Amino acid sequence: MTVTGSTGRRERLRAETTAEIKNVALALMTSGGPGAITLRAIAREMGMTANAIYGYFATRDDLVTALINDVYTALADTVDTAWENVPATDAAVRIEAWANAFRTWALVNPQGFRLIYGDPVPGYQAPEGGPAPDAARRVCTGVTALAAAAWPHAQHLHEDSTFDWSDFDPGLLDKVRPAFPDLPPAAVALALRIWGHLHGLVSLEIYGHLHTQTTSPAKLFQNELGQLVRTLGIPRRR
């Protein structure tokens, strides 16, 4: 075997082991909650020594950061693809596609959803700038894009808005204003309200609260989504 071949094999094995470590971490979170994610527990599950696993992740926080970045990026990829696959001229369908992609991803990846939006990992210290700054920006601007698509139709409903830029976190504005320089503060507020509708129902479903209240959470979500589009005043193409 050539040196290049040996190097390639080592890199492949390292990538496979790294992926297994992440999968075991999520499995531990499923059974024991976020606090169950420890390098020693993962090493035990994989039949590795603690020292060996430290060769892949120096600290538990490094692993958690990698996990959050992975799942957040996967979510961003999913909703971005759904958005881009619908013509920009069909705002209603575009919004519905993004929202349904968000819900579907969350249902398929409940632990990933909880890691991003739900249960904090005890003692976790995120790196400066956050564990997944690019994915967070993409999802944030994606939500704002929903409001931007609706704004030409909904603008007249917000003429008496009293929102000002000072009403929003500077970090949020750093993400959305460069991407949507023409949107006024009222449109950013609308984006947060849309996010509240979508995220709220999905969170209730992921955490099992809806299943004790309705036999059809999907129907409830679709009904809420349709009502949201109607209240935004977006006409449907025939």
Side-chain angles (χ1 to χ4, degrees), residues 24-166:
V24 171
L26 290 175
L28 287 171
M29 181 178 172
T30 300
S31 60
I37 300 177
T38 70
L39 294 184
R40 288 187 177 276
I42 294 168
R44 188 165 54 247
E45 289 290 323
M46 294 178 63
M48 298 174 65
T49 66
N51 286 339
I53 206 165
Y54 285 121
Y56 292 86
F57 294 98
T59 68
R60 188 282 311 261
D61 283 3
D62 288 341
L63 170 59
V64 173
T65 295
L67 281 173
I68 294 174
N69 185 66
D70 282 357
V71 296
Y72 217 158
T73 299
L75 171 59
D77 289 344
T78 297
V79 292
D80 282 353
T81 298
W83 177 261
E84 292 163 2
N85 283 343
V86 178
T89 53
D90 203 337
V93 177
R94 251 192 158 185
I95 291 171
E96 290 169 347
W98 195 101
N100 281 313
F102 172 70
R103 175 177 177 268
T104 299
W105 182 90
L107 292 176
V108 174
N109 302 277
Q111 298 311 320
F113 180 91
R114 291 176 62 188
L115 198 58
I116 300 172
Y117 296 119
D119 309 330
V121 178
Y124 170 64
Q125 296 292 321
E128 185 176 354
D134 180 66
R137 176 191 57 78
R138 288 167 60 195
V139 173
C140 181
T141 56
V143 173
T144 310
L146 306 184
W151 192 244
H153 312 286
Q155 183 174 0
H156 70 282
L157 302 173
H158 301 269
E159 292 176 348
D160 60 348
S161 172
T162 60
F163 281 104
D164 189 78
W165 292 123
S166 62

Side-chain angles (χ1 to χ4, degrees), residues 1-7:
M1 181 179 292
T2 65
V3 173
T4 301
S6 298
T7 301

